[in-house]
Amino acid sequence: MNLHFQEGPSRQYLQDMYNSVILKDIVQRNNLRDVDLLERIIGYALNSIGHVFSASNITKYLKSEHRKVSNDTVLNYLNACTTAYLFYKIPRQDLLGKKLLSINEKYYVVDHGLREAVYGHNARDIDQILENIVCLELLRRGYTVTIGKTGNFEVDFIAEKGNKKCYIQVTYLLASPETVEREFRVYKDIKDNYPKYVVSMDELDFSHDGIQHYNIRKFLQLPHDY
């Protein structure tokens, strides 16, 4: 995957930052020799922001690109990226089994402006960018963040801090009754009384059944602890 940089002063600044992180914090610190492989893995992760994937997903993609690499190598390169704070790795937890899951995490980029400069397509991938914004805000506020799996459904974020906890589902628009049903349905099997939110770009309030809906701007302006 070749990464094509956009033009313009701010994008040039972000491009320079990206190159600095790649060369200094990842390649040199970890003594990585295959920079092309690293960039391909980063490109895959940037494309997959907000989507669960595993090392085997990347190895299969690389195989289609005629690059043979082991799962362990992919994991080592991804760990180098998270150690350099290019990405945050968010683990998944089984809400019914009460345990962390060891596969299919999500990765979020430290700055979605960096994603635009490096990979592009932020305007096209607005749903992924909204998730990235919410994730970064939760981390900034000091929450421990995980993804929740409940049966066949998944909650985008579980945010915990001390005795505080909340659930957050992020979507672009609640554009149809089917979309409303899908986004609110994920909470059906979660029986505790912690706050449950659906966050979108909609201006209308779709709150119901004790689940609070917020426009993302209003959600980000809520008091420091949800």
Side-chain angles (χ1 to χ4, degrees), residues 93-96 148-155 186-190:
Q93 64 168 295
D94 186 337
L95 291 172
L96 301 181
K149 180 182 180 298
T150 170
N152 294 324
F153 299 95
E154 195 164 80
V155 181
V186 299
Y187 292 128
K188 183 177 180 180
D189 295 327
I190 303 175

Side-chain angles (χ1 to χ4, degrees), residues 34-50:
D34 196 336
V35 178
D36 176 72
L37 176 61
L38 177 62
E39 289 197 317
R40 288 171 185 267
I41 291 172
I42 290 172
Y44 187 99
L46 289 173
N47 178 57
S48 303
I49 290 298

Side-chain angles (χ1 to χ4, degrees), residues 18 37 85 102 153 170 205:
Y18 169 81
L37 176 61
Y85 297 103
S102 59
F153 299 95
V170 184
D205 186 350

Side-chain angles (χ1 to χ4, degrees), residues 9-222:
S10 60
R11 288 191 174 95
Q12 182 63 50
Y13 169 77
L14 289 169
Q15 177 187 349
D16 293 342
M17 180 189 298
Y18 169 81
N19 287 332
S20 175
V21 169
I22 289 293
L23 294 176
K24 294 182 180 179
D25 291 342
I26 301 180
V27 174
Q28 293 179 8
R29 181 181 297 179
N30 297 278
N31 196 28
L32 302 180
R33 297 182 179 180
D34 196 336
V35 178
D36 176 72
L37 176 61
L38 177 62
E39 289 197 317
R40 288 171 185 267
I41 291 172
I42 290 172
Y44 187 99
L46 289 173
N47 178 57
S48 303
I49 290 298
H51 297 159
V52 294
F53 64 86
S54 64
S56 63
N57 294 135
I58 299 181
T59 57
K60 290 175 183 176
Y61 159 74
L62 291 170
K63 185 177 180 180
S64 73
E65 296 285 306
H66 309 291
R67 291 297 310 267
K68 187 176 181 180
V69 61
S70 70
N71 288 349
D72 286 342
T73 298
V74 170
L75 287 173
N76 288 337
Y77 276 59
L78 284 172
N79 288 337
C81 291
T82 57
T83 301
Y85 297 103
L86 180 60
F87 295 108
Y88 292 108
K89 181 174 73 172
I90 306 299
R92 299 165 72 227
Q93 64 168 295
D94 186 337
L95 291 172
L96 301 181
K98 306 296 184 182
K99 63 179 181 179
L100 286 177
L101 302 172
S102 59
I103 60 172
N104 292 337
E105 301 95 346
K106 289 186 179 182
Y107 287 80
Y108 294 91
V109 66
V110 68
D111 186 328
H112 58 273
L114 189 61
R115 181 185 191 266
E116 175 64 25
V118 174
Y119 176 74
H121 305 302
N122 278 0
R124 182 197 67 186
D125 300 332
I126 187 64
D127 54 334
Q128 294 172 263
I129 300 308
L130 293 178
E131 270 196 48
N132 206 99
I133 290 170
V134 171
C135 180
L136 294 182
E137 180 64 14
L138 293 172
L139 294 172
R140 187 187 71 81
R141 294 189 180 205
Y143 284 92
T144 299
V145 182
T146 55
I147 304 152
K149 180 182 180 298
T150 170
N152 294 324
F153 299 95
E154 195 164 80
V155 181
D156 288 328
F157 300 115
I158 305 166
E160 299 179 82
K161 182 167 59 174
N163 61 355
K164 297 181 181 297
K165 180 178 179 178
C166 68
Y167 304 93
I168 303 163
Q169 189 73 0
V170 184
T171 189
Y172 175 32
L173 290 171
L174 298 168
S176 68
E178 291 76 19
T179 306
V180 174
E181 166 63 20
R182 183 186 71 234
E183 299 300 333
F184 282 76
R185 170 65 180 82
V186 299
Y187 292 128
K188 183 177 180 180
D189 295 327
I190 303 175
K191 304 301 184 182
D192 62 42
N193 294 317
Y194 291 110
K196 301 172 179 67
Y197 300 101
V198 173
V199 178
S200 74
M201 293 286 288
D202 298 278
E203 298 293 342
L204 294 177
D205 186 350
F206 288 89
S207 300
H208 65 271
D209 296 334
I211 301 168
Q212 301 176 67
H213 169 248
Y214 280 98
N215 174 277
I216 189 168
R217 293 190 303 274
K218 293 182 179 179
F219 181 78
L220 296 174
Q221 294 170 357
L222 288 177

